[in-house]
């Protein structure tokens, strides 16, 4: 592909549900392309990949979904010579979401259909889609398809300490930090958090506030994951993480650059993670970034995927 031809970036989901012990996945039929595939679409300007996947799934199927663990990405050439990369996530569909779907056949999607895994695999048009489905099938076989997310969010860009005369914990976000917080909140919300925890520092509370607005959840502030406590040796990351893992529901922890490695290291230690290197790499976040660690709901817990996202500014 010539360097002047930009790659098309898209995102989508493999929606699945269980019925009477049988796993079903959703496929879409497109008359215009004469194919059967998964819901997906191009990333729009100032849009993060996870929110693209949620939006496109809603537009093409009428389903409001929450993303599970990443299923990886596929790449293929388009007829005009450009390349295309599509990022996929698993998305378990609840009965309530399915009943609330307002899908009607249209010029883009002629129909949607729920099929057992084997039938879906034989019905899909493209081999690269079958590869994505095979990854989901493998997780179902290993009993790791159902997950919850531990999200480590680094606060947005704050006023520099060198120019701030008050206590460090009172440093506010810069305008860029507020923009970062608003953007990354949409990515975080795509994973359906049910608990919001923040350092007591003003810059962390301001960063997680847009997540609270989008989800309607209250924020619990704790010094246990604050930078001041970390520097004083009073942090209690282990207690916070162990509680979140015991609850087994998706949660956001908004903290500081020096504390994030401890947060993710504890997730790895508590789950017996083999991929500790991936967790250490994920902890090196820029301001406004988030690391999403998907943990299986099965016991004992295990890490299914580790993903990082940046604000789309």
């Amino acid at each position: 592909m010539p360097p002047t031809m930009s790659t098309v970036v898209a995102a989508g989901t493999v929606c699945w549900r269980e019925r009477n012990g049988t796993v079903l996945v959703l496929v879409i039929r497109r008359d215009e392309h004469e194919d059967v595939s998964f819901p997906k679409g191009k990333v729009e300007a100032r849009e993060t990949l996870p929110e693209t996947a949620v939006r496109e799934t809603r537009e093409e199927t009428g389903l409001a979904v929450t993303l599970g663990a990443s299923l990886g990405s596929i790449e293929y050439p388009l007829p005009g010579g450009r390349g295309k990369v599509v990022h996929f996530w698993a998305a378990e569909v609840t009965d309530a979401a399915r009943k609330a779907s307002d899908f009607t056949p249209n010029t883009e999607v002629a129909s949607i259909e729920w099929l057992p895994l084997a039938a879906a695999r034989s019905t899909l048009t493209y081999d690269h889609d079958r590869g994505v489905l095979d990854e989901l099938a493998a997780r179902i076989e290993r009993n790791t398809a159902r997950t919850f997310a531990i999200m480590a969010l680094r606060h947005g860009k704050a006023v520099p300490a060198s120019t701030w005369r008050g206590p460090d914990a009172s440093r506010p976000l810069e305008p860029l930090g507020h923009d970062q917080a608003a953007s990354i909140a949409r990515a975080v919300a795509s994973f359906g958090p049910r608990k919001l925890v923040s350092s007591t520092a003003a810059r962390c509370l301001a960063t997680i506030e847009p997540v609270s607005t989008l989800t309607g959840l209250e924020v619990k502030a704790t010094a246990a994951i604050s930078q001041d406590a970390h520097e004083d040796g009073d942090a209690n990351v282990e207690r916070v993480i162990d509680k979140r893992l015991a609850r087994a529901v998706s949660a956001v922890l908004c903290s500081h650059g020096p504390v994030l490695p401890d947060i993710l290291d504890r997730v790895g230690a508590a789950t017996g993670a083999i991929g500790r290197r991936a967790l250490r790499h994920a902890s090196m976040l820029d301001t406004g970034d988030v690391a999403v660690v998907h943990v299986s709901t099965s016991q004992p817990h295990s890490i299914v995927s580790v993903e990082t996202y940046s604000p789309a500014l």
Side-chain angles (χ1 to χ4, degrees), residues 116-134:
L117 289 168
R121 196 178 193 285
S122 63
T123 303
L124 288 166
T125 302
Y126 307 108
D127 284 340
H128 49 242
D129 284 345
R130 294 188 186 95
V132 175
L133 180 61
D134 288 345

Side-chain angles (χ1 to χ4, degrees), residues 150 197 220 222-226 229-230 233-247 253 255 258-271 276:
I150 300 295
V197 182
K220 178 183 178 181
T222 174
I225 58 172
S226 71
H230 175 79
D234 297 327
N236 200 338
V237 169
E238 181 175 332
R239 176 179 62 80
V240 174
I241 293 301
D242 289 357
K243 183 177 181 179
R244 300 276 46 94
L245 290 172
R247 294 289 190 273
L253 284 72
S255 190
V259 187
L260 292 171
D262 289 351
I263 289 175
L264 293 181
D265 186 65
R266 181 56 195 170
V267 175
T271 57
R276 300 287 281 276

Side-chain angles (χ1 to χ4, degrees), residues 169-303:
S170 68
R171 278 196 291 134
L173 294 181
E174 290 189 344
L176 173 59
H178 284 289
D179 290 343
Q180 291 173 329
S183 176
I184 203 63
R186 298 192 295 273
V188 168
S190 301
F191 296 101
R194 292 172 54 189
K195 183 70 175 181
L196 306 183
V197 182
S198 174
S199 159
T200 49
R203 54 194 182 275
C204 290
L205 291 169
T207 298
I208 204 169
E209 182 180 358
V211 181
S212 176
T213 299
L214 285 176
T215 61
L217 298 171
E218 293 184 359
V219 178
K220 178 183 178 181
T222 174
I225 58 172
S226 71
Q227 185 165 328
D228 284 347
H230 175 79
E231 293 175 350
D232 293 340
D234 297 327
N236 200 338
V237 169
E238 181 175 332
R239 176 179 62 80
V240 174
I241 293 301
D242 289 357
K243 183 177 181 179
R244 300 276 46 94
L245 290 172
R247 294 289 190 273
V249 297
S250 294
V252 184
L253 284 72
C254 187
S255 190
H256 312 258
V259 187
L260 292 171
D262 289 351
I263 289 175
L264 293 181
D265 186 65
R266 181 56 195 170
V267 175
T271 57
I274 297 175
R276 300 287 281 276
R277 181 177 298 180
L279 289 172
R280 286 194 294 271
H281 179 74
S283 72
M284 296 183 287
L285 301 174
D286 289 331
T287 55
D289 288 1
V290 64
V292 184
V293 184
H294 294 276
V295 182
S296 68
T297 58
S298 59
Q299 293 287 352
H301 294 314
S302 61
I303 292 177

Side-chain angles (χ1 to χ4, degrees), residues 12 142 145 192 311:
R142 296 193 300 264

